[in-house]
Amino acid sequence: MKKLTIAALLTVMTLPAFAEDNGGFKADEPAPPPHKQDAGIRGSEDARGATVELARTMRQDAWVTLEGHIIKKTGKDQFEFRDKTGTVGITVGANRWNGDEVTPEDLVMISGRVKHEGKQTHVVVEHLLKQ
């Protein structure tokens, strides 16, 4: 009985040590200052702080993330997107809406591939997030 009690006591005492290695929130390091925080989106360097104006100069199939408004529907899956620098056509497949209803007043973040067709630039949206 004594051996069982000691073994049980040792097991209970060592459980917190094992629990610390299982992930979760750890406050060991301070949070970054506000000016170093990003939007939480990871992508190529050319996607950071992108605008419609910049997207027009990007290479074919470059990944871009834009923040702005979808202002009108121009075709089945075709829309016009606007930010503070201008407008660009976008394609948003039915499966990219994530069940969200978006109006022109809603701020959205889109990520996708830049496409150039002649003098026109277009973005094929892979991710859409209503803000």
Side-chain angles (χ1 to χ4, degrees):
M1 181 78 169
K2 242 184 190 182
K3 288 182 185 178
L4 181 60
T5 305
I6 292 172
L9 185 58
L10 286 173
T11 302
V12 170
M13 289 173 46
T14 58
L15 282 177
F18 291 119
E20 291 177 27
D21 295 333
N22 292 333
F25 179 74
K26 296 185 182 184
D28 298 336
E29 297 183 28
H35 69 279
K36 292 284 187 177
Q37 292 177 351
D38 61 18
I41 296 190
R42 300 283 185 242
S44 63
E45 287 298 315
D46 59 358
R48 291 189 181 185
T51 62
V52 168
E53 184 177 58
L54 180 62
R56 288 189 188 111
T57 66
M58 297 172 93
R59 67 180 170 20
Q60 181 81 356
D61 292 322
W63 187 263
V64 66
T65 298
L66 303 169
E67 190 173 61
H69 301 269
I70 299 173
I71 57 173
K72 68 179 173 180
K73 186 171 185 166
T74 59
K76 181 177 182 234
D77 291 334
Q78 309 295 315
F79 302 87
E80 189 172 334
F81 177 87
R82 181 182 67 208
D83 72 3
K84 62 186 175 189
T85 65
T87 61
V88 67
I90 61 172
T91 300
V92 184
N95 59 336
R96 303 293 183 213
W97 294 100
N98 302 316
D100 288 334
E101 288 184 13
V102 176
T103 70
E105 293 178 1
D106 294 322
L107 182 65
V108 296
M109 184 176 296
I110 60 170
S111 296
R113 304 267 178 215
V114 174
K115 300 292 182 183
H116 299 290
E117 297 166 3
K119 294 183 179 186
Q120 297 294 318
T121 300
H122 192 79
V123 176
V124 178
V125 175
E126 296 290 330
H127 302 284
L128 184 142
L129 179 62
K130 183 177 174 181
Q131 300 290 305

